[in-house]
């Protein structure tokens, strides 16, 4: 399952956006640190393909892929030293695949700041990034004494120790680990370092900025080459509870094509290099998330490890060909269903039935 941790300063709209994205009702108050305990929401990935496949197969259930969002308390400058609520809540997003950094860009006298300064996106971004870097330095430095002790009797540990020490020096310069060329991910995997994760920036903007390319470009430049998107928490709140047609009709009145949720999911999938394939039958149709470039056995393993271990072949038809044919049998008669082996690289719109031997 894909998971995204939400960070930002207090009162930038994190909880408001979290509520809108997850159709939840956590406290979104106009004062710093309204969020104390981490909030988790699991949301389905919008996928029109499932309904069409369900009609073809007469499926009882539709099971979309899902994304987990984790909203933690706002960070402030000095969080690593205990300012505000400190950085203890960062532990709750260390297992996440990516970080979503919410940045408020508009002025509103009714919204309290964590301090008395003016809204300054560039400064806010720097504050959060600094705290993430300091948190990673703390995590690595806590590991070093153990490695220093082990390296005396195990020369192989010395290499890992030297590498982690070099990362600390890099972090001291203000460079996040994700910016380091050829980062050795395997050597730091168990540390779950925050700045090694992809960071996506979500600018919380007013309605005018939603369709103002000039303003958006200026904001994009603040975080380039990182991916960013533009959402309006106020508008997202209005969308909450509306059905899909009404929601998109309201969006179109603002000149916007996708909801904040749809944007965040699409950008998250692109950033993490993910895609989904489909399985279908009378009982259910389902979308499964895999890495781009995954082979058929690897895709089967997402369903169950036994499927990967005992993989024999995959019967595949493209979603477009299946819908065009109108049924699986018609697609088979038209020669659109094919059998692929272990080396086949999965495509995003593949509808698959795996063949496997459970005794392997």
């Amino acid at each position: 399952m894909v998971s995204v941790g939400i960070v930002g300063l207090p009162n930038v709209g994190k909880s408001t956006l979290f509520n809108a994205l997850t159709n939840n009702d956590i406290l979104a108050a106009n004062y710093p640190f309204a969020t104390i305990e981490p909030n988790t929401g699991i949301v389905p990935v919008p996928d029109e393909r499932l309904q069409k496949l369900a009609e073809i197969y007469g499926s009882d259930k539709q099971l979309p892929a899902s994304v987990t969002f984790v909203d933690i308390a706002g960070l402030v400058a000095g969080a690593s030293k205990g300012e505000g609520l400190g950085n203890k809540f960062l532990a709750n997003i260390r297992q996440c695949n990516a970080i979503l950094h919410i940045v408020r860009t508009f002025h509103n006298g009714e919204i309290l700041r964590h301090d008395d300064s003016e809204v300054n996106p560039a400064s806010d971004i720097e504050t959060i990034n600094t705290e993430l870097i300091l948190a990673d330095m703390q995590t690595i430095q806590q590991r070093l004494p153990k490695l220093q002790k082990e390296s005396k009797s195990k020369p192989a540990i010395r290499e890992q120790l030297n590498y982690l020490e070099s990362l600390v020096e890099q972090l001291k310069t203000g460079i996040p680990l994700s910016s380091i060329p050829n980062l050795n991910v395997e050597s730091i995997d168990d540390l779950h370092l925050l700045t090694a994760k992809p960071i996506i920036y979500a600018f919380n903007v007013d309605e005018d900025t939603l369709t103002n390319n000039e303003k958006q470009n200026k904001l994009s430049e603040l975080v380039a080459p990182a991916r960013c998107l533009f959402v309006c928490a106020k508008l997202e709140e209005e969308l909450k509870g509306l059905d899909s047609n009404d929601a998109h009709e309201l969006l179109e009145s603002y000149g916007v094509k996708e909801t904040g949720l749809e944007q965040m999911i699409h950008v998250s999938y692109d950033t993490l290099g993910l895609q989904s394939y489909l399985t279908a039958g009378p009982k259910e149709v389902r979308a499964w998330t895999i890495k781009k470039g995954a082979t058929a056995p690897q895709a089967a393993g997402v369903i169950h490890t036994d499927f990967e271990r005992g993989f024999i072949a995959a019967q595949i038809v493209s979603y477009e060909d299946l819908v065009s044919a109108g049924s699986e049998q018609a697609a088979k008669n038209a020669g659109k269903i094919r059998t692929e082996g272990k080396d086949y690289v999965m495509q995003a719109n593949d509808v698959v039935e795996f063949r496997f031997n459970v005794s392997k």
Side-chain angles (χ1 to χ4, degrees), residues 1-263:
M1 183 183 293
V2 182
S3 58
V4 178
I6 303 176
V7 301
L9 294 171
N11 283 24
V12 295
K14 290 193 305 96
S15 295
T16 300
L17 278 171
F18 178 87
N19 284 343
L21 296 175
T22 61
N23 200 25
N24 213 322
D25 288 301
I26 64 168
L27 177 63
N30 184 24
Y31 54 83
F33 312 122
T35 301
I36 303 298
E37 293 300 323
N39 297 293
T40 300
I42 300 175
V43 298
V45 175
D47 195 335
E48 295 179 352
R49 300 173 301 176
L50 298 181
Q51 178 61 38
K52 290 187 179 295
L53 288 179
E55 293 170 0
I56 291 174
Y57 285 90
S59 308
D60 294 332
K61 293 189 295 185
Q62 299 178 40
L63 299 173
S66 62
V67 175
T68 298
F69 289 100
V70 183
D71 177 38
I72 64 169
L75 297 172
V76 300
S80 61
K81 299 177 181 178
E83 293 294 326
L85 294 177
N87 63 9
K88 60 182 179 179
F89 294 107
L90 287 175
N92 296 100
I93 61 171
R94 288 198 178 277
Q95 302 291 337
C96 290
N97 304 109
I99 292 175
L100 181 68
H101 182 174
I102 309 293
V103 185
R104 183 160 72 92
T105 67
F106 61 90
H107 296 266
N108 184 334
E110 296 180 0
I111 298 179
L112 299 176
R113 289 274 290 175
H114 63 285
D115 53 28
D116 295 325
S117 62
E118 289 292 313
V119 173
N120 185 332
S123 175
D124 291 355
I125 290 167
E126 183 179 1
T127 295
I128 296 297
N129 287 344
T130 297
E131 291 305 321
L132 296 180
I133 286 171
L134 291 172
D136 278 354
M137 288 175 60
Q138 289 178 347
T139 299
I140 295 175
Q141 287 167 338
Q142 288 170 358
R143 173 67 60 86
L144 294 181
K146 179 176 181 287
L147 295 179
Q148 288 166 348
K149 183 178 180 180
E150 292 178 350
S151 66
K152 294 176 182 179
S153 58
K154 300 177 182 177
I157 300 295
R158 169 58 59 179
E159 184 177 345
Q160 183 184 8
L161 173 62
N162 291 340
Y163 186 65
L164 289 182
E165 288 176 336
S166 73
L167 293 184
V168 172
E169 294 306 311
Q170 291 274 8
L171 289 167
K172 285 181 179 178
T173 67
I175 298 175
L177 298 180
S178 59
S179 299
I180 298 176
N182 303 316
L183 180 68
N184 186 344
V185 177
E186 288 186 4
S187 69
I188 61 173
D189 187 56
D190 65 326
L191 291 170
H192 305 291
L193 298 172
L194 297 164
T195 67
K197 302 178 188 296
I199 296 185
I200 302 163
Y201 293 88
F203 290 105
N204 184 6
V205 302
D206 55 28
E207 291 94 331
D208 292 335
T209 307
L210 276 176
T211 54
N212 189 313
N213 291 332
E214 184 178 350
K215 288 183 178 180
Q216 290 187 7
N217 288 338
K218 287 182 179 179
L219 292 170
S220 298
E221 290 171 1
L222 296 176
V223 299
R227 296 289 299 273
C228 67
L229 50 95
F230 304 91
V231 295
C232 174
K234 181 180 176 183
L235 175 57
E236 295 298 325
E237 250 187 331
E238 293 180 37
L239 296 173
K240 185 181 172 184
L242 297 180
D243 65 32
S244 180
N245 291 334
D246 290 341
H248 283 91
E249 188 175 324
L250 180 57
L251 283 172
E252 288 175 8
S253 70
Y254 284 91
V256 180
K257 294 181 179 179
E258 292 186 317
T259 65
L261 175 63
E262 290 168 338
Q263 289 186 65

Side-chain angles (χ1 to χ4, degrees), residues 273-277 288-292 294 298-299 302 346-347:
L274 302 174
Q275 63 185 18
S276 61
Y277 73 89
W288 303 87
T289 300
I290 56 173
K291 281 278 190 181
K292 291 179 180 177
Q298 290 170 333
V302 173
M346 299 291 293
Q347 302 302 306

